[in-house]
Amino acid sequence: MTDNMAIERSRTVAVVGTGTMGQGIAQVALVAGHPVRLHDTAPDRAREAAEAIAGRLGRLVEKGRMSPDERDAAAGRLSVAEALDDLADAALVIEAVVERLAVKQELFARLEKTVADDCLLATNTSSLSVTAIAGKLRLPGRFVGLHFFNPAPLLPLVEVVSGFATEDTAATRAYATVKQWGKTPVRCADTPGFLVNRIARPFYAEALRLYEEQAADPATIDAVLRDCGGFRMGPFELTDLIGQDVNEAVTRSVWDAFHQDPKFVPSLAQRRLVESGRLGRKTGQGWFAYTEGAERPAPRTEAPAPAPAKVTVHGDLGHAEPLVALIEAAGIKLRRQKRGGHFTLPGGGHLMLADGEAVFEYEGEEIVYFDLAHDYTTATRIALATAPTTSPETLQEAVGLFQALGKEVTVIGDVPGMIVARTVAMLVDLAVDAADRGVASAEDIDTAMRLGVNYPAGPFEWAALLGYEKVSQLLGALHTRYPTGRYAPCLGVVRREYEERAR
C-alpha cells in the first residue's frame, strides 16, 4: 500500500540548490527514472551542475554500473530551470540551499506560489527545524524533511522528517518515493538533530570527555572503539573527516535546542581545537596531522606478556561469556565457580567487565577492569584499566590472558565505565528516550544508526545483547560518580529494566 503512494517516475522532480548535496540528490532521482530539473540562483551554476552529473553518469558506465543507453536516457531527462516559474509542473521539489532559516522560508514561500497544490515540498536541512521552515506556508501539511546523507548517490539512508503540521499522507508519499529510488527511508518526528545527529552525540562526546579526563590519547580511544567496540571509525578520526567546526556546530546546535541539557554538553577540548584553526583533513591538521609524510600516532599497545597457566570463572559472564570458549581453545586451564560474574587470575586478582565503577574504589583488592566488546570472539583489541595500587603481576596476568586469546591489549586510565561500555550505555539511553518520546520507532532508530553512521549494531540491538539491567547499572554507577544529570538513566531504560526482571 505504501509503495503505491510513490510519485510516478514520469513526474518531474525539481532540485533547488546545486551544490554537492543538491547534485547528489538530483542524480539519485535521475537514475531512478524521473525527469529532473535543476535550479540555482547563482548564474550558470545549475548548468555546471548538470554537466557534472552527466560526467558522473559517464563514470558509472565505465564502472559497469550503468549501460550507455541508460546513461543517454538519464541525460535526456536532465534539464536546467532558469527561473522558479519553470518548476511549475514538478511533483516534488527538494531544497538543498544554504542552512539559513530565512533563506529557506523565503524560497518555499515563492515555490508555493509557483507549483500546484498537490506538489510535495521537501527540505534537505540537517540542522534546522522542519516545522519552522514550513511555518509561514499556506499549505504546511505537504511539507516534509528529506535528509539525505553525503554522498547521496552512495549512502542508503534518508531521514523522512515530519514537521508539526506535516500530514501523514505527505510523509508516506515521501517515504514511498525515496524507497522506490532504492534508498532506505526511516520516519522521524521533527526533533533537534533528527535521528542520527541526535543519537550519535555520545559517540563523540564521551570520547572527548575521556580525552579530557586523560583516560587515553585520541589514537588509543579510536583504536579501542574500532577494534574492541566494532565501530567503523573512531570518533577523533571521524570528526577530522567531518570537520571539527562542523561537528562542534552540530553538537552545540543540539545542546542549545534541548535547552542545554547536560546529556548534550559540548567539549571544551574540541572548542579549543576549532579556535586554533585545526579543523581536520580540510586544514591539514585536526586531532591528527594530514600533511604529506605525516604519520598517524600509534595506539597504546602492551608488550607481550606470558599467558597465565589457569583461570577461574565465577558465575555467568553475560555478554562476555564467549571469552570462556576462547580461553579453553587457547589451552589455558579453566575452573568454574557458581557465583560472581568475573574471572580470578592465578595471583588472586579479579578481572571484571566494566560496570561504571572505578578500580580505585576497591581498596585492598586486586582488580582489573576489561572493556565491553561488540563481539569478544572477533574483537582484535581489549582495553584494561587498573588502579595505581594494582600490582604489576596482576596486570601482567590480565594482559597475558587476552594476548593468548589473540587480542592486542591497551591499558587506559582508571575512569568509570571505560571507553566502549560508557559510550554504548549513553547511545542506548538517548535512543530509548527518543523512541519513548515518539521521535521514531526502535527499528527505525537501529536502521538509522547502522546505515547513517556505520555502527556495528543499533542502540536497541546493543541493549538486547547486554540486557537493560546491565545498561541501567552502567548509567546509574556513572551518574553516582558524575552527578550532573549527564548519565542519569532515562525513565524508559529503568522501565525496561523492571520489565526484563519480571520476565
Side-chain angles (χ1 to χ4, degrees):
M1 179 67 179
T2 299
D3 292 346
N4 293 337
M5 295 187 68
I7 294 170
E8 299 89 344
R9 286 188 170 90
S10 60
R11 300 290 305 278
T12 297
V13 172
V15 177
V16 180
T18 57
T20 301
M21 184 58 79
Q23 291 181 34
I25 295 170
Q27 181 178 327
V28 171
L30 194 64
V31 171
H34 290 272
V36 173
R37 210 162 292 158
L38 300 173
H39 175 73
D40 201 297
T41 55
D44 298 325
R45 186 171 292 177
R47 200 165 302 282
E48 292 169 0
E51 292 172 358
I53 292 170
R56 283 195 289 274
L57 295 178
R59 287 193 287 276
L60 290 178
V61 173
E62 294 170 3
K63 295 177 181 178
R65 297 176 185 173
M66 176 180 274
S67 71
D69 288 344
E70 289 171 332
R71 174 200 59 198
D72 293 344
R77 295 193 301 271
L78 182 61
S79 62
V80 170
E82 300 294 345
L84 282 182
D85 289 345
D86 296 333
L87 309 181
D89 64 336
L92 167 63
V93 180
I94 304 175
E95 161 274 315
V97 302
V98 65
E99 286 286 272
R100 292 208 294 268
L101 179 60
V103 173
K104 293 179 187 290
Q105 287 177 328
E106 181 183 357
L107 170 63
F108 282 108
R110 292 173 61 199
L111 279 168
E112 194 171 44
K113 296 174 183 177
T114 302
V115 299
D117 285 357
D118 64 348
C119 175
L120 193 64
L121 299 179
T123 174
N124 182 60
T125 185
S126 61
S127 60
L128 299 176
S129 164
V130 171
T131 302
I133 296 172
K136 297 180 180 180
L137 294 181
R138 176 173 56 86
L139 297 174
R142 57 154 164 191
F143 190 87
V144 297
L146 285 180
H147 182 215
F148 288 77
F149 289 75
N150 195 27
L154 297 180
L155 296 185
L157 184 69
V158 179
E159 294 176 324
V160 181
V161 185
S162 292
F164 187 78
T166 302
E167 295 172 358
D168 186 62
T169 52
T172 301
R173 192 178 178 205
Y175 181 99
T177 299
V178 295
K179 185 178 180 183
Q180 181 176 265
W181 293 356
K183 296 300 181 182
T184 303
V186 292
R187 292 177 182 266
C188 173
D190 185 19
T191 185
F194 307 144
L195 287 185
V196 172
N197 280 332
R198 170 178 174 163
I199 295 170
R201 293 347 292 166
F203 183 68
Y204 312 110
E206 292 311 310
L208 289 161
R209 180 74 176 257
L210 288 160
Y211 167 76
E212 291 171 342
E213 293 178 4
Q214 300 187 46
D217 61 275
T220 297
I221 294 172
D222 276 359
V224 171
L225 282 161
R226 278 195 320 265
D227 305 341
C228 184
F231 293 90
R232 184 74 60 86
M233 294 180 74
F236 292 97
E237 59 184 341
L238 182 53
T239 52
D240 269 357
L241 177 64
I242 294 168
Q244 296 301 331
D245 53 338
V246 174
N247 183 261
E248 202 247 3
V250 172
T251 298
R252 193 165 293 277
S253 173
V254 172
W255 181 56
D256 286 337
F258 279 107
H259 309 292
Q260 302 186 341
D261 187 321
K263 290 182 185 286
F264 299 100
V265 172
S267 162
L268 181 58
Q270 188 177 38
R271 176 93 291 260
R272 292 292 178 260
L273 200 68
V274 172
E275 289 173 340
S276 72
R278 299 185 174 193
L279 307 183
R281 288 179 180 268
K282 60 187 176 184
T283 61
Q285 178 72 54
W287 293 110
F288 307 113
Y290 299 93
T291 52
E292 186 176 351
E295 293 186 9
R296 179 72 60 87
R300 177 173 177 176
T301 303
E302 294 301 303
K310 62 180 180 178
V311 173
T312 301
V313 181
H314 298 264
D316 183 4
L317 299 176
H319 180 59
E321 189 66 25
L323 288 172
V324 174
L326 294 178
I327 291 170
E328 291 176 325
I332 297 172
K333 185 177 179 181
L334 190 71
R335 291 181 56 207
R336 295 213 71 146
Q337 300 288 341
K338 290 185 178 181
R339 298 179 181 178
H342 63 276
F343 295 100
T344 297
L345 299 165
H350 295 328
L351 185 61
M352 302 164 56
L353 176 60
D355 58 7
E357 297 184 11
V359 183
F360 74 82
E361 298 175 62
Y362 291 85
E363 294 184 70
E365 296 185 59
E366 290 281 301
I367 301 293
V368 178
Y369 271 121
F370 65 95
D371 208 349
L372 175 67
H374 177 242
D375 184 338
Y376 283 101
T377 302
T378 59
T380 58
R381 183 180 298 272
I382 294 292
L384 305 179
T386 66
T389 55
T390 304
S391 70
E393 293 77 16
T394 295
L395 176 58
Q396 285 297 290
E397 287 177 347
V399 169
L401 172 63
F402 283 108
Q403 288 176 339
L405 308 187
K407 319 295 184 187
E408 291 186 294
V409 178
T410 290
V411 178
I412 67 169
D414 181 20
V415 289
M418 301 191 70
I419 297 174
V420 182
R422 183 158 150 176
T423 300
V424 167
M426 286 295 286
L427 289 170
V428 172
D429 185 67
L430 291 194
V432 167
D433 186 60
D436 285 359
R437 291 177 184 271
V439 172
S441 68
E443 180 181 2
D444 276 356
I445 289 172
D446 278 354
T447 298
M449 304 315 290
R450 278 190 276 101
L451 298 184
V453 276
N454 288 313
Y455 285 1
F460 288 94
E461 292 169 327
W462 272 107
L465 289 172
L466 299 177
Y468 282 100
E469 184 175 2
K470 177 66 175 178
V471 174
S472 184
Q473 176 196 41
L474 271 164
L475 291 169
L478 287 164
H479 178 52
T480 298
R481 286 149 187 82
Y482 303 96
T484 62
R486 180 188 183 100
Y487 300 104
C490 70
L491 183 61
V493 166
V494 177
R495 180 184 293 115
R496 286 165 175 77
E497 176 192 6
Y498 275 82
E499 291 172 351
E500 194 173 76
R501 287 177 179 177
R503 286 198 290 268

